[in-house]
Amino acid sequence: MGNAVASVSASAPSPLLTTELVGAVLTVGINRPAKRNALSDRLMEDILACFSSLPDGIRAVVLHGVGDHFSAGLDLSELSERDATAGLLHSQMWHRVFDKIQFCPVPVIAVLRGAVIGGGLELACAAHIRVADSTAYYALPEGSRGIFVGGGGSMRLPRLIGIARMADMMLTGRVYSAAEGEALGFSQYLTEAGRAFAKAMELAERVAENAPLTNFAVLQALPMIAEASPQTGLLMESLMAAVAQSDQEAKKRMRAFLDHKAAKIRSA
Ligand code: 1HE
């Protein structure tokens, strides 16, 4: 993949997001560092718009926070005037935004640095791969703020770290370090400080080389299969496998292997 850099800001004009096209990878930066990338309503609208109109031909997205922090979560300055109904609708708006990321047509890789707090952690959970550097830390201060997660955290985070661990974080304010986070499943990768973005780009370029249909199956079918009853899941798996292997791209790649033109898998 080349390193051609082309700004796509014309299609995503938001001062709260920085976007850049690097080959087939779109980088999306949450650009509110003065407020530690707190997720305001305007920022959420802009994330939704960005993921709703991804440039044609991209094969992966790298989502990061501008500055030293991924995100300090919900913009607490916008919370005070909301009643119960407004809170319900607000949470559903967050669900729409994060679903747009989870069900994005291409893989989304999140770069985690500094604070990954509350709604920021919920945002990270909607990505498909999380790469943290050693400065990252994870917390859910909702308990001490008198609120509850509202961005799909109670649905997505237990699938990564378990219900008991999430409950402990919310009840006691426990903070996990980057190293603990990798061991427990918050992130799949851990780098030294300042290296997470480069690692995420490297992974994105690797992911972009996969057959698009395989990436689609991993993003759209795998989570559904894993949540289905075994019999339903097995049938869905068979259907997805049949569709994937009948694709021309699969046939081309199989032929390349048999002709000794494909890379072999070596031990890590
Ligand atoms: C904010 C926010 C925010 C910072 N909303 N403005 N999230 C939290 O409870 C985390 C709250 N934030 C913090 O604990 C700290 O700010 C940090 C550890 C993230 C960073 O500390 P630091 O020393 O680098 O920065 P700071 O001086 O605390 O903050 C810099 C500015 O960002 C400051 O504004 P300023 O105008 O006084 O300069 C802060 O007010 C502002 N700021 N975080 C609004 N979160 C859908 S449910 C989801 C529920 C949640 O996400 S709960 C978790 C909320």
Side-chain angles (χ1 to χ4, degrees):
M1 168 167 306
N3 282 328
V5 176
S7 171
V8 293
S9 55
S11 62
S14 162
L16 297 177
L17 291 180
T18 63
T19 55
E20 204 171 24
L21 199 54
V22 183
V25 179
L26 181 71
T27 72
V28 178
I30 303 169
N31 188 25
R32 232 190 144 203
K35 296 290 180 184
R36 306 309 184 250
N37 295 326
L39 300 168
S40 62
D41 287 355
R42 175 72 208 283
L43 179 50
M44 294 298 276
E45 280 168 25
D46 291 353
I47 295 173
L48 184 63
C50 175
F51 278 86
S52 300
S53 59
L54 294 172
D56 288 342
I58 65 154
R59 306 287 288 270
V61 173
V62 168
L63 176 67
H64 64 104
V66 175
D68 295 335
H69 302 277
F70 179 66
S71 172
L74 176 72
D75 188 323
L76 295 170
S77 69
E78 293 183 349
L79 192 68
S80 51
E81 300 306 322
R82 228 173 262 147
D83 64 14
T85 307
L88 174 65
L89 296 174
H90 185 266
S91 168
Q92 290 189 313
M93 179 271 282
W94 273 49
H95 291 167
R96 279 194 294 282
V97 179
F98 292 171
D99 275 1
K100 202 79 195 167
I101 295 173
Q102 179 176 348
F103 299 108
C104 182
V106 297
V108 179
I109 302 177
V111 178
L112 307 182
R113 278 195 299 257
V116 186
I117 295 181
L121 179 53
E122 295 183 276
L123 169 60
C125 290
H128 305 104
I129 299 175
R130 282 160 293 280
V131 183
D133 82 4
S134 57
T135 69
Y137 61 98
Y138 309 93
L140 290 172
E142 280 83 349
S144 60
R145 306 268 182 247
I147 56 179
F148 190 63
V149 286
S154 45
M155 191 264 299
R156 291 192 181 96
L157 187 57
R159 287 172 165 81
L160 299 180
I161 64 165
I163 298 170
R165 201 163 273 123
M166 178 171 174
D168 177 33
M169 290 175 79
M170 294 194 71
L171 291 172
T172 68
R174 184 169 184 171
V175 177
Y176 283 106
S177 69
E180 290 170 323
E182 189 204 21
L184 296 174
F186 289 86
S187 78
Q188 293 100 319
Y189 295 87
L190 177 62
T191 74
E192 58 194 54
R195 294 287 307 151
F197 185 85
K199 179 68 182 175
M201 290 300 288
E202 178 194 317
L203 294 170
E205 290 178 10
R206 170 69 189 79
V207 154
E209 290 169 3
N210 292 339
L213 192 54
T214 304
N215 281 355
F216 172 89
V218 172
L219 267 45
Q220 312 294 329
L222 174 62
M224 307 290 178
I225 294 169
E227 299 293 329
S229 70
Q231 291 312 313
T232 305
L234 290 174
L235 177 61
M236 287 166 71
E237 181 189 83
S238 298
L239 293 170
M240 193 65 247
V243 172
Q245 68 192 232
S246 63
D247 194 51
Q248 283 309 315
E249 188 65 31
K251 295 190 189 311
K252 200 174 84 188
R253 288 167 184 243
M254 240 64 93
R255 175 53 37 211
F257 175 77
L258 296 172
D259 291 344
H260 305 284
K261 290 178 183 157
K264 295 188 183 184
I265 316 296
R266 303 294 188 195
S267 68

